[in-house]
Short mmCIF file of all heavy atoms in Angstrom, two decimals:
data_model
loop_
_atom_site.label_atom_id
_atom_site.label_comp_id
_atom_site.label_asym_id
_atom_site.label_seq_id
_atom_site.Cartn_x
_atom_site.Cartn_y
_atom_site.Cartn_z
N SER V 52 5.98 30.44 23.99
CA SER V 52 5.77 29.76 22.71
C SER V 52 4.30 29.41 22.53
O SER V 52 3.72 29.59 21.44
CB SER V 52 6.65 28.52 22.67
OG SER V 52 6.23 27.64 21.65
N VAL V 53 3.69 28.91 23.59
CA VAL V 53 2.26 28.56 23.52
C VAL V 53 1.43 29.81 23.21
O VAL V 53 0.54 29.78 22.35
CB VAL V 53 1.80 27.92 24.84
CG1 VAL V 53 0.29 27.81 24.89
CG2 VAL V 53 2.44 26.55 25.01
N ARG V 56 1.94 30.94 19.57
CA ARG V 56 1.37 29.98 18.64
C ARG V 56 -0.15 30.07 18.64
O ARG V 56 -0.81 29.93 17.60
CB ARG V 56 1.82 28.58 19.04
CG ARG V 56 1.72 27.57 17.94
CD ARG V 56 2.49 26.34 18.33
NE ARG V 56 3.87 26.44 17.92
CZ ARG V 56 4.28 26.19 16.68
NH1 ARG V 56 3.41 25.83 15.75
NH2 ARG V 56 5.52 26.30 16.35
N ALA V 57 -0.72 30.30 19.82
CA ALA V 57 -2.18 30.42 19.90
C ALA V 57 -2.66 31.66 19.15
O ALA V 57 -3.69 31.63 18.48
CB ALA V 57 -2.61 30.48 21.37
N LEU V 59 -1.23 32.98 16.56
CA LEU V 59 -1.18 32.66 15.14
C LEU V 59 -2.34 31.75 14.75
O LEU V 59 -2.99 31.97 13.72
CB LEU V 59 0.16 31.98 14.81
CG LEU V 59 0.31 31.48 13.37
CD1 LEU V 59 0.19 32.64 12.40
CD2 LEU V 59 1.64 30.76 13.17
N ALA V 60 -2.62 30.76 15.59
CA ALA V 60 -3.70 29.83 15.28
C ALA V 60 -5.03 30.57 15.16
O ALA V 60 -5.83 30.29 14.26
CB ALA V 60 -3.78 28.75 16.36
N ALA V 61 -5.25 31.53 16.05
CA ALA V 61 -6.51 32.28 16.01
C ALA V 61 -6.62 33.06 14.70
O ALA V 61 -7.66 33.05 14.03
CB ALA V 61 -6.58 33.23 17.20
N LEU V 109 7.71 20.23 24.25
CA LEU V 109 6.40 20.85 24.04
C LEU V 109 5.30 20.05 24.75
O LEU V 109 5.25 18.83 24.67
CB LEU V 109 6.09 20.92 22.55
CG LEU V 109 6.98 21.84 21.74
CD1 LEU V 109 6.66 21.71 20.26
CD2 LEU V 109 6.80 23.28 22.19
N GLU V 110 4.47 20.79 25.43
CA GLU V 110 3.32 20.14 26.06
C GLU V 110 2.33 19.74 24.97
O GLU V 110 2.36 20.23 23.86
CB GLU V 110 2.62 21.13 27.00
CG GLU V 110 3.55 21.73 28.04
CD GLU V 110 3.23 23.19 28.25
OE1 GLU V 110 2.04 23.52 28.31
OE2 GLU V 110 4.16 24.00 28.34
N GLU V 111 1.44 18.86 25.34
CA GLU V 111 0.44 18.38 24.38
C GLU V 111 -0.39 19.54 23.84
O GLU V 111 -0.70 19.60 22.65
CB GLU V 111 -0.47 17.36 25.07
CG GLU V 111 -1.59 16.84 24.20
CD GLU V 111 -1.10 16.34 22.84
OE1 GLU V 111 0.05 15.87 22.74
OE2 GLU V 111 -1.86 16.44 21.87
N SER V 112 -0.71 20.51 24.70
CA SER V 112 -1.55 21.63 24.27
C SER V 112 -0.90 22.39 23.13
O SER V 112 -1.56 22.81 22.18
CB SER V 112 -1.80 22.56 25.45
OG SER V 112 -0.64 23.30 25.75
N ASP V 113 0.41 22.55 23.22
CA ASP V 113 1.11 23.30 22.19
C ASP V 113 1.13 22.52 20.88
O ASP V 113 0.90 23.07 19.80
CB ASP V 113 2.54 23.58 22.65
CG ASP V 113 3.13 24.78 21.93
OD1 ASP V 113 2.33 25.53 21.31
OD2 ASP V 113 4.34 24.98 21.98
N ARG V 114 1.37 21.23 21.02
CA ARG V 114 1.42 20.42 19.80
C ARG V 114 0.05 20.39 19.13
O ARG V 114 -0.07 20.36 17.92
CB ARG V 114 1.93 19.02 20.12
CG ARG V 114 3.10 18.69 19.22
CD ARG V 114 3.76 17.38 19.60
NE ARG V 114 4.12 17.33 21.02
CZ ARG V 114 4.36 16.21 21.66
NH1 ARG V 114 4.25 15.06 21.02
NH2 ARG V 114 4.71 16.21 22.93
N ALA V 115 -0.99 20.41 19.95
CA ALA V 115 -2.34 20.43 19.39
C ALA V 115 -2.57 21.71 18.59
O ALA V 115 -3.17 21.68 17.51
CB ALA V 115 -3.36 20.30 20.51
N THR V 116 -2.07 22.82 19.10
CA THR V 116 -2.22 24.08 18.38
C THR V 116 -1.52 24.03 17.03
O THR V 116 -2.03 24.50 16.02
CB THR V 116 -1.65 25.23 19.22
OG1 THR V 116 -2.17 25.14 20.54
CG2 THR V 116 -2.03 26.57 18.62
N THR V 117 -0.32 23.44 17.04
CA THR V 117 0.41 23.29 15.79
C THR V 117 -0.41 22.48 14.78
O THR V 117 -0.52 22.85 13.61
CB THR V 117 1.76 22.59 16.04
OG1 THR V 117 2.50 23.36 16.98
CG2 THR V 117 2.54 22.45 14.74
N ARG V 118 -0.99 21.38 15.27
CA ARG V 118 -1.80 20.54 14.39
C ARG V 118 -3.00 21.33 13.87
O ARG V 118 -3.43 21.17 12.73
CB ARG V 118 -2.26 19.28 15.13
CG ARG V 118 -1.22 18.18 15.11
CD ARG V 118 -1.89 16.82 15.38
NE ARG V 118 -2.63 16.85 16.63
CZ ARG V 118 -2.12 16.59 17.83
NH1 ARG V 118 -0.86 16.28 17.93
NH2 ARG V 118 -2.87 16.64 18.91
N ASP V 119 -3.55 22.18 14.73
CA ASP V 119 -4.68 23.03 14.34
C ASP V 119 -4.33 23.89 13.14
O ASP V 119 -5.06 23.94 12.15
CB ASP V 119 -5.04 23.96 15.50
CG ASP V 119 -6.30 23.51 16.21
OD1 ASP V 119 -6.55 22.29 16.22
OD2 ASP V 119 -7.03 24.37 16.72
N ILE V 120 -3.20 24.57 13.25
CA ILE V 120 -2.79 25.47 12.18
C ILE V 120 -2.63 24.68 10.88
O ILE V 120 -3.19 25.04 9.84
CB ILE V 120 -1.47 26.18 12.55
CG1 ILE V 120 -1.69 27.07 13.78
CG2 ILE V 120 -0.96 27.01 11.38
CD1 ILE V 120 -0.42 27.65 14.35
N ALA V 121 -1.87 23.60 10.96
CA ALA V 121 -1.68 22.78 9.77
C ALA V 121 -3.02 22.24 9.28
O ALA V 121 -3.26 22.16 8.06
CB ALA V 121 -0.72 21.64 10.07
N GLY V 122 -3.90 21.89 10.21
CA GLY V 122 -5.20 21.35 9.83
C GLY V 122 -6.00 22.31 8.96
O GLY V 122 -6.64 21.90 7.99
N HIS V 123 -5.97 23.58 9.30
CA HIS V 123 -6.68 24.56 8.49
C HIS V 123 -6.13 24.59 7.07
O HIS V 123 -6.89 24.69 6.10
CB HIS V 123 -6.57 25.95 9.12
CG HIS V 123 -7.49 26.15 10.28
ND1 HIS V 123 -7.06 26.43 11.55
CD2 HIS V 123 -8.84 26.10 10.37
CE1 HIS V 123 -8.09 26.54 12.36
NE2 HIS V 123 -9.19 26.34 11.67
N GLU V 141 -0.74 16.78 3.86
CA GLU V 141 -0.17 17.18 5.15
C GLU V 141 1.25 17.73 4.96
O GLU V 141 1.60 18.78 5.48
CB GLU V 141 -0.16 15.98 6.10
CG GLU V 141 0.08 16.38 7.55
CD GLU V 141 -0.87 15.63 8.48
OE1 GLU V 141 -1.95 15.19 8.04
OE2 GLU V 141 -0.52 15.46 9.63
N PHE V 145 2.61 21.66 5.66
CA PHE V 145 3.78 22.06 6.44
C PHE V 145 4.79 22.80 5.57
O PHE V 145 5.41 23.77 6.00
CB PHE V 145 4.43 20.83 7.09
CG PHE V 145 3.78 20.43 8.38
CD1 PHE V 145 2.96 19.32 8.47
CD2 PHE V 145 3.99 21.18 9.53
CE1 PHE V 145 2.36 18.96 9.67
CE2 PHE V 145 3.39 20.84 10.74
CZ PHE V 145 2.57 19.72 10.81
#
Side-chain angles (χ1 to χ4, degrees):
Chain V
S52 164
V53 168
R56 200 166 271 279
L59 175 61
L109 293 174
E110 305 141 42
E111 177 51 30
S112 73
D113 203 15
R114 233 173 308 161
T116 311
T117 302
R118 276 201 305 273
D119 256 30
I120 297 172
H123 282 119
E141 195 136 336
F145 276 106

